[in-house]
Amino acid sequence: MILLLKSATIIDKTSPFHQQIKDVLIENGKITKISDTIENTNNIKEINLKNLHISQGWFDTSVCFGEPGYEERETIENGLNTAAKSGFTAVAVNSNTFPIADNKATIQYIKNKSYGFATDLYPFGALTKGYESKDIAELFDMKNYGAIAFGDYKKPISNANLMKIALQYTQNFDGLVMSFPQDNSIAQNGLVNEEENSTKLGLKGIPALAEEMQIARDLFILEYTGGKLHIPTISTAKSVNLIKEAKKKGLNVSCSVAAHHLALTDSELKEFNSNTKVLPPLRTERDTEALINGVNEGVIDMITSDHNPIDIEHKKVEYRNAKFGTIGLESLFGALNNILDTEVLIDCLTTKPKQVFNIESSSIQEGELANLTLFNPEEAFTFTEDAILSTSKNAIFLNKKLNGKVYGIISNNKAVL
């Protein structure tokens, strides 16, 4: 494959061409030339798009595809094609399959199904067998077959001793433990954030305390054991402060935030739209502002779509009966591009998550692999169902005004535009 990108603004702090407009020549999967102007003397295929910007390929650290077991929600094939068209050259796929990915055979199956695509797939293994918080899963075997971290998706580890053992054990092979931040003894069967809006709407609430108690517990354990801990999709102001203090102590802790927690609040609940039923729940404006500050200050390491396709039978039902989850690959960039500085947003989709999960990155320089996301940061549009590429349509940003169009990716010697 030979491609010539014309007049591309490069957004890559690791590149000597950062914030410069250049032509970029790509041959056989590598960047071979970057210059002010590259003449097309050999009838090379040109990519000449409106207000073209390029960055290192984006990495989403929390994606669900369903397969195996829930192919009606999403297959690996369509999921990876959706990710590519949404700007992601790599995704980390959660272990909430059927059977649960708590053994090397399931990890191997998922990896084998992902070969040959432009977007790379990195599987997570379950931390406990069957998500039961009783026994540690086959962590070392799963790591040897490609699992990059271990966690029970949306399932808190209720057994504190099990978390202690996991953090100690994974140090033997430099493993990364993930812990979903919710204490179910506090959250119980709550549906939404416990605040004024939950009371007005008559919906049982999940207090911010449920998240903060679990994070505080895990940080105490981490301080005792050492090891590496990742806390996915935090949602409250106090959670940001807890992690900030832990980092000041030198603890090896990272965290992510979901795009919808940066852009939306629990005021969205008034229409009882089940697409707004997510976990952790949408919080208050105060929490949203603290999360945005946490991203800008570097306390929050990465941003995820927390993409979780749910079929219509389990989503388009009465609010209390709907499953938690929203899709988000297609809308992430447009939803946040006005809220965050574009450079900050891209840093949280590239350099930072790749460092935490030990994923190789390629700077935009001559001689480097072409692992690129192509986008226009200034195109406004309304996110309609026509823009949804996923099999399931449970989009929290449906009919919202977004800003920032993704053109596609160039990765693994393939272009998806």
Side-chain angles (χ1 to χ4, degrees), residues 58-61 257 294-296 298 300-304 340 342-354:
W58 301 344
F59 175 36
D60 193 330
T61 58
V257 62
V295 171
N296 288 326
I300 297 174
D301 301 274
M302 62 198 78
I303 296 168
T304 174
L340 297 169
T342 300
E343 282 189 32
V344 172
L345 174 55
I346 289 172
D347 200 32
C348 288
L349 294 174
T350 55
T351 308
K352 290 184 175 182
K354 289 176 182 178

Side-chain angles (χ1 to χ4, degrees), residues 135 146 165 189 214 281 283 377 397:
D135 299 299
I165 292 169
N189 59 343
Q214 189 81 354
R283 302 288 188 183
F397 288 107

Side-chain angles (χ1 to χ4, degrees), residues 17 31 42 53 135 140 147 153 155 166 211 233 241 249 275 293 295 323:
F17 304 103
I31 298 172
N42 296 317
H53 285 58
D135 299 299
F140 184 64
Y153 181 68
K155 301 288 184 181
E211 174 171 313
T233 59
N241 290 332
K249 290 181 181 179
N275 288 336
N293 289 335
V295 171
K323 286 188 176 293

